[in-house]
């Protein structure tokens, strides 16, 4: 996602398609595919889709994020196929150039996703996506570097629609595809004092603008929007008490749902990934899974 310098604590679009997928509130999988065929949930995107978290020893682990938690909303008969890749941008997702991941028989994550959809007609129950934030990894959003932000937003604006178009073409109209907006991990700058609080406000404006951009593109392409920025209460500055300290609610949410305040890591923690999964589930119309 975004760069933090201060806080330490193509053959993709050529195949035409017939693919049948259905996702009801109870996830009815009958009569969608040949008897005995498995059903799938396909997760796409960057490190959040990959489920990246710090391992507590200075490294990172993957595979325990929102996709794994969202899977429980589908019930026991659906399998997860997670193609998410840490550091993925819209550019690397399309072309594969600069991607940290390889996909056997495919040039990129998007190519692999389209191939999977085409070769599993009637079996993919849902597709989720989060992409775009890693474009800004070279931008200073707490300064902010306006030129960099504008340039990268223009790239996302140009490349996100073709990604969505390819996914929609690889699925029939009944297929439910959802994409998410982002939370703002750099609200944690508020903890650094007066200058940090100004930085937090600037990052909030930048992330909110980016979320509005992506949400408008998703909506225009007929993709459902999981408003993760809203779920994390990004714009809620009402004071609340957290660990004996009065803090804005949006800052508290970052401390509660990410590793940012504890380890300076932008990724969601278990609670944050669960919140993202629940928001996706609501967006997709899946049944609620109560956590005890």
């Amino acid at each position: 996602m975004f760069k933090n310098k201060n806080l330490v604590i193509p053959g993709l679009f050529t195949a035409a398609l017939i693919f049948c997928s259905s996702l009801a509130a109870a996830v009815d999988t009958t009569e969608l595919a040949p008897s005995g065929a498995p059903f799938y949930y396909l997760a796409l995107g960057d490190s959040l889709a990959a489920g990246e978290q710090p391992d507590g020893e200075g490294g990172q682990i993957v595979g325990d994020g929102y996709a794994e938690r969202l899977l429980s909303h589908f019930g026991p008969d659906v399998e997860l196929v997670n193609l998410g890749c840490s550091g993925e941008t819209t550019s690397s997702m399309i072309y594969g150039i600069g991607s940290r991941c390889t996909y056997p028989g495919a040039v990129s994550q998007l190519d692999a996703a389209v191939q999977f959809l085409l070769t599993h007609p009637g079996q993919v129950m849902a597709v989720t996506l989060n992409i775009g934030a890693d474009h800004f990894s070279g931008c200073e959003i707490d300064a902010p570097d306006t030129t960099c932000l504008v340039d990268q937003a223009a790239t996302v604006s140009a490349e996100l629609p073709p990604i969505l178009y390819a996914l929609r073409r690889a699925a029939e109209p009944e297929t439910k595809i959802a994409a998410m907006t982002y939370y703002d991990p750099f609200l944690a700058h508020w903890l650094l004092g007066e200058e940090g609080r100004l930085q937090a406000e600037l990052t909030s404006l930048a992330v909110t603008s980016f979320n509005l951009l992506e949400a408008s593109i998703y909506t225009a392409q007929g993709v459902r929007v999981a408003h993760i920025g809203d779920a994390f209460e990004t714009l809620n500055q009402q004071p609340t008490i957290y660990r004996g300290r009065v803090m804005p609610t949006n800052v508290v949410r970052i401390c509660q749902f990410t590793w940012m305040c504890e380890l300076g890591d932008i990724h969601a923690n278990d609670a944050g990934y669960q919140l993202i999964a629940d928001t996706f589930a609501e967006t997709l119309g899946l049944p609620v899974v109560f956590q005890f």
Side-chain angles (χ1 to χ4, degrees):
M1 288 171 67
F2 304 100
K3 182 176 181 181
N4 172 31
K5 70 172 184 177
N6 293 323
L7 186 65
V8 179
I9 345 192
L12 305 186
F13 311 114
T14 56
L17 339 123
I18 295 185
F19 164 75
C20 181
S21 175
S22 173
L23 183 62
V27 194
D28 183 5
T29 58
T30 60
E31 300 182 2
L32 290 178
S35 177
F39 296 93
Y40 301 100
Y41 150 45
L42 179 62
L44 307 173
D46 58 30
S47 60
L48 295 184
E52 186 168 332
Q53 292 198 57
D55 63 5
E57 299 179 355
Q60 299 286 320
I61 59 174
V62 296
D64 188 21
Y66 72 75
E68 289 73 21
R69 289 165 171 76
L70 181 57
L71 181 64
S72 65
H73 289 268
F74 289 95
D77 299 325
V78 179
E79 300 175 18
L80 170 64
V81 174
N82 193 339
L83 302 182
C85 181
S86 296
E88 199 84 320
T89 65
T90 55
S91 304
S92 62
M93 188 175 191
I94 294 173
Y95 304 111
I97 300 172
S99 180
R100 301 177 187 175
C101 303
T102 58
Y103 301 91
V107 300
S108 67
Q109 184 179 162
L110 180 59
D111 192 15
V114 169
Q115 289 188 36
F116 188 84
L117 289 167
L118 292 173
T119 56
H120 295 82
Q123 293 175 260
V124 180
M125 304 302 299
V127 180
T128 61
L129 171 69
N130 72 279
I131 196 69
D134 278 291
H135 272 280
F136 300 90
S137 61
C139 298
E140 305 292 352
I141 68 170
D142 52 8
D145 184 348
T146 304
T147 300
C148 181
L149 294 175
V150 171
D151 288 347
Q152 293 304 321
T155 299
V156 172
S157 296
E159 294 181 341
L160 185 54
I163 291 172
L164 303 175
Y165 177 78
L167 295 174
R168 284 256 55 118
R169 287 292 305 272
E172 293 217 349
E174 292 80 9
T175 304
K176 291 183 179 179
I177 302 176
M180 60 170 269
T181 62
Y182 285 89
Y183 55 84
D184 176 12
F186 303 113
L187 286 168
H189 281 78
W190 189 92
L191 300 172
L192 298 176
E194 185 175 348
E195 182 178 353
R197 294 175 186 184
L198 176 59
Q199 292 175 346
E201 291 183 10
L202 292 173
T203 66
S204 178
L205 291 174
V207 173
T208 299
S209 296
F210 178 63
N211 283 343
L212 290 172
L213 170 66
E214 286 211 318
S216 67
I217 294 173
Y218 293 141
T219 300
Q221 293 291 324
V223 171
R224 299 182 180 208
V225 183
H227 292 281
I228 303 304
D230 292 346
F232 276 67
E233 299 188 70
T234 299
L235 297 179
N236 185 356
Q237 296 183 335
Q238 291 296 314
T240 187
I241 298 176
Y242 179 69
R243 295 183 177 179
R245 183 177 182 181
V246 178
M247 299 165 57
T249 297
N250 53 2
V251 177
V252 171
R253 296 295 176 259
I254 291 302
C255 292
Q256 290 176 323
F257 297 132
T258 79
W259 291 100
M260 197 65 179
C261 301
E262 184 176 349
L263 297 177
D265 189 296
I266 62 176
H267 295 97
N269 57 24
D270 288 343
Y273 277 128
Q274 187 63 57
L275 178 58
I276 294 172
D278 291 343
T279 305
F280 261 124
E282 182 179 3
T283 302
L284 289 166
L286 296 174
V288 174
V289 176
F290 293 100
Q291 303 293 321
F292 297 97

